[in-house]
Amino acid sequence: MKFNKITKNSILLLQQVVGEAYVFTDTENLNKYGQDETDFHLYLPETVVKPRTPEEIAAILTIANNELIPVTVRGAGTGLTGGALPVRGGILISMERFNKILDIDTRNLQATVEPGVINEVFQNAVKEVGLFYPPDPASKGSCFLGGNVAESSGGPKCVKYGTTKDYILNLEVVLPTGEIIYTGANTLKNSTGYNLTQLMVGSEGTLGVVTKIIVKLIPFPKHDLLMLVPFKSIEQSCEFVSEVFRAGFTPSGMEMMERDALIIASKFIDSLAIYMEDDIEAHLLIEVDGNDIDVLTKDMEAIAELASKYEVGELLFAESAAQKQELFKLRRKINEAVRATTISKEQDTVVPRAELPKLMKGVKALGVKYNFKSVCYGHAGDGNLHIRLIKGELTDEQWNGDYMKNVIAELFTLCKQLKGTISGEHGIGWVQKGYTPIVFSEKEIEIQKNIKKVFDPNGILNPDKMFV
Ligand SMILES: Cc1cc2nc3c(=O)[nH]c(=O)nc-3n(C[C@H](O)[C@H](O)[C@H](O)COP(=O)(O)OP(=O)(O)OC[C@H]3O[C@@H](n4cnc5c(N)ncnc54)[C@H](O)[C@@H]3O)c2cc1C
């Protein structure tokens, strides 16, 4: 697709729409909005705009569509696959002024919220009225709900409660052609027409700009218990995951942390919370929650009993809210800690959970074959493991070239063979799009590209993302 550069005249038009104070062309802002949390990428937009209303966004998109200027929408910029990178320049729309919780409807257990609200701010607001919004990415302290919708983000709680897609009832969306639509209704059930809501969830800012989100809420569970199980074999830790579910338990958290992941995170936040024996290869952080503490205690004891059949170290039962928080903090900090201490690339692999041991075995075998280390962690209960490939002694040429691309392609081929796929929650965005032919047939890709054309005939919105 050939796009046009922004002219002085289009800048003037944008200023008329949002006000001069909210159009930026200075180097500092272009740099700030030219990168996200994906490793080492910088693509400068030509201008950054910060609208406040859906109507302003509609006007911006109309200008861009008429003048064939590419547009990229940005939430908090915590994405890990470069979805918010303005790879073709053009206009970057920052959603940071859409930061209001519009309504918490305690009668219907729903809320209407703007997409620039930070996930944790929203979670805390609904908790104050006894309600729970479970999707909780490790980045919850900074990522926006709009970004969560666009990526269908997950987190530790999602193993019991489902990911973002399971909480979105309806969305207000501005289309690339400037019309404002709702995708559904504010109901728990809806068999009326195609499911545009779920099409929009996970569409990575390529089909429209989400401007209002109507979410389902549930009552906040009264109690939770947390246990840390150290395993002497990483494969055994993965085997145990599916055994817990087959035995009839659904934990509200089932997170895996490989030895190195935990060592790096502990150093990073200066935590002595976990003492690790030399023979421990991985830990599972297991949480159960609900309203009856006796039931939870029995469930946790039964899960601990199941664990005793494996080669495990001493189990740690969290005794206070502060201890629970610190254990979860260690898990949440792994991504940041590993990135801060190594050159690495993260893969968001997901397989049916009973196939996790095969995935883990395959990853380590690939490491031996191609001479790289990996640090694995993540939402094991969902079969979703983040695999950080470490550059280590690989040359720059190997790391940036076909050598590493082949490693990733082999890893994703393994996911496909195990009936899994190449992203569980981070999306495809810019950096993973070359691998989609591993999991989609030509026809499947063609259908998706045709959907994009229906929403965005000129291809102006987040171009060059998701598909080659
Ligand atoms: C330390 C760390 C930990 C993380 N942990 C997790 C985790 O546990 N689980 C998880 O799922 N992810 C995790 N992530 C990834 C990231 O936080 C999520 O993908 C998050 O949902 C991105 O939100 P954001 O607001 O930062 O979006 P951005 O990065 O700004 O954008 C992401 C995508 O959403 C689109 N977008 C943003 N807002 C809108 C909108 N209003 N309308 C349409 N499209 C929009 C953008 O165009 C882009 O394609 C983590 C990231 C970091 C840095």
Side-chain angles (χ1 to χ4, degrees):
M1 183 70 70
K2 193 159 168 19
F3 294 114
N4 293 320
K5 291 274 171 209
I6 296 184
T7 59
K8 277 193 183 144
N9 189 46
S10 22
I11 296 274
L12 277 177
L13 289 175
L14 292 172
Q15 287 173 339
Q16 278 165 16
V17 172
V18 294
E20 244 176 87
Y22 296 110
V23 179
F24 304 86
T25 50
D26 59 290
T27 313
E28 196 183 334
N29 269 300
L30 299 189
N31 266 300
K32 178 177 166 194
Y33 292 93
Q35 50 199 306
D36 64 2
E37 292 289 332
T38 314
D39 307 300
F40 316 116
H41 291 275
L42 174 68
Y43 293 92
L44 298 185
E46 289 158 67
T47 184
V48 175
V49 289
K50 299 187 182 178
R52 177 63 197 98
T53 66
E55 290 73 21
E56 288 178 5
I57 293 184
I60 296 166
L61 289 174
T62 304
I63 295 167
N65 199 39
N66 289 341
E67 300 192 13
L68 285 186
I69 298 168
V71 178
T72 310
V73 193
R74 179 185 172 102
T78 67
L80 296 173
T81 53
L85 295 174
V87 293
R88 298 288 293 265
I91 301 170
L92 185 130
I93 299 182
S94 166
M95 298 304 287
E96 63 202 59
R97 293 174 69 215
F98 281 74
N99 58 0
K100 300 272 177 301
I101 298 172
L102 300 174
D103 181 37
I104 299 176
D105 177 354
T106 51
R107 239 166 38 92
N108 286 305
L109 306 196
Q110 294 181 1
T112 303
V113 60
E114 291 187 330
V117 172
I118 292 175
N119 177 298
E120 194 171 28
V121 168
F122 181 61
Q123 290 207 20
N124 290 341
V126 299
K127 192 176 174 189
E128 272 180 29
V129 290
L131 295 175
F132 187 28
Y133 177 71
D136 59 340
S139 52
K140 66 182 179 179
S142 50
C143 65
F144 291 174
L145 289 172
N148 297 170
V149 170
E151 301 288 0
S152 194
S153 299
K157 295 280 181 194
C158 297
V159 60
K160 176 172 177 183
Y161 293 104
T163 62
T164 304
K165 73 174 168 25
D166 300 301
Y167 289 85
I168 307 302
L169 300 177
N170 198 0
L171 295 167
E172 182 188 71
V173 175
V174 185
L175 300 178
T177 39
E179 300 90 348
I180 301 176
I181 63 160
Y182 271 92
T183 56
N186 296 12
T187 51
L188 293 170
K189 297 171 78 176
N190 187 344
S191 294
T192 321
Y194 291 125
N195 194 336
L196 297 184
T197 307
Q198 290 302 327
L199 181 58
M200 206 53 70
V201 175
S203 63
E204 303 193 38
T206 62
L207 299 182
V209 181
V210 174
T211 44
K212 275 190 197 75
I213 308 168
I214 294 90
V215 300
K216 172 176 93 174
L217 301 168
I218 57 176
F220 201 91
K222 291 192 176 72
H223 306 284
D224 55 60
L225 297 174
L226 187 65
M227 166 172 79
L228 186 73
V229 187
F231 284 82
K232 295 186 181 175
S233 141
I234 190 166
E235 275 180 57
Q236 279 202 11
S237 75
C238 291
E239 270 163 32
F240 181 63
V241 170
S242 56
E243 181 165 359
V244 170
F245 291 85
R246 282 195 298 272
F249 304 103
T250 304
S252 52
M254 178 71 118
E255 297 289 307
M256 197 275 260
M257 300 176 279
E258 189 179 0
R259 179 183 182 87
D260 282 354
L262 205 43
I263 290 175
I264 295 169
S266 298
K267 266 195 201 144
F268 188 68
I269 62 166
D270 219 1
S271 169
L272 298 174
I274 299 174
Y275 171 74
M276 213 182 314
E277 298 284 355
D278 288 347
D279 57 352
I280 296 304
E281 280 192 0
H283 285 79
L284 285 180
L285 192 58
I286 304 175
E287 184 197 70
V288 289
D289 73 358
N291 292 332
D292 187 330
I293 190 69
D294 294 334
V295 171
L296 296 183
T297 306
K298 276 191 197 140
D299 282 359
M300 204 50 131
E301 282 168 3
I303 295 172
E305 177 65 29
L306 273 182
S308 68
K309 290 194 287 172
Y310 291 73
E311 286 179 75
V312 293
E314 199 173 328
L315 275 48
L316 173 70
F317 296 89
E319 284 171 359
S320 64
Q323 195 180 10
K324 285 178 196 166
Q325 250 178 28
E326 179 149 14
L327 292 176
F328 264 120
K329 184 173 175 190
L330 275 167
R331 160 59 193 93
R332 273 204 308 276
K333 285 287 175 186
I334 292 174
N335 174 299
E336 206 181 326
V338 180
R339 288 172 66 208
T341 44
T342 60
I343 298 177
S344 58
K345 295 181 204 271
E346 183 157 300
Q347 311 307 318
D348 179 33
T349 60
V350 59
V351 293
R353 70 165 83 85
E355 312 306 333
L356 276 179
K358 286 186 192 150
L359 175 63
M360 191 48 65
K361 201 172 164 191
V363 171
K364 296 302 172 189
L366 268 180
V368 173
K369 181 174 164 189
Y370 287 100
N371 192 28
F372 67 88
K373 278 194 172 177
S374 57
V375 176
C376 305
Y377 66 100
H379 316 300
D382 286 324
N384 181 200
L385 278 191
H386 303 320
I387 296 172
R388 274 228 159 236
L389 309 172
I390 310 290
K391 179 168 181 272
E393 286 166 11
L394 296 180
T395 61
D396 288 350
E397 200 187 334
Q398 285 174 320
W399 184 247
N400 296 317
D402 287 346
Y403 187 86
M404 213 54 204
K405 285 195 183 112
N406 287 339
V407 169
I408 297 170
E410 271 195 47
L411 173 61
F412 287 163
T413 304
L414 173 65
C415 293
K416 166 82 172 167
Q417 281 162 358
L418 296 172
K419 307 272 184 259
T421 192
I422 66 177
S423 175
E425 57 179 22
H426 295 167
I428 298 300
W430 174 240
V431 295
Q432 303 295 48
K433 65 178 182 164
Y435 304 103
T436 49
I438 294 175
V439 286
F440 291 132
S441 68
E442 271 179 32
K443 188 69 195 173
E444 288 158 358
I445 291 179
E446 184 193 319
I447 290 170
Q448 302 200 45
K449 286 185 171 173
N450 284 339
I451 290 172
K452 164 80 174 163
K453 274 188 206 146
V454 170
F455 281 80
D456 186 10
N458 290 327
I460 58 156
L461 194 59
N462 217 356
D464 295 348
K465 301 289 171 66
M466 287 176 82
F467 299 103
V468 181

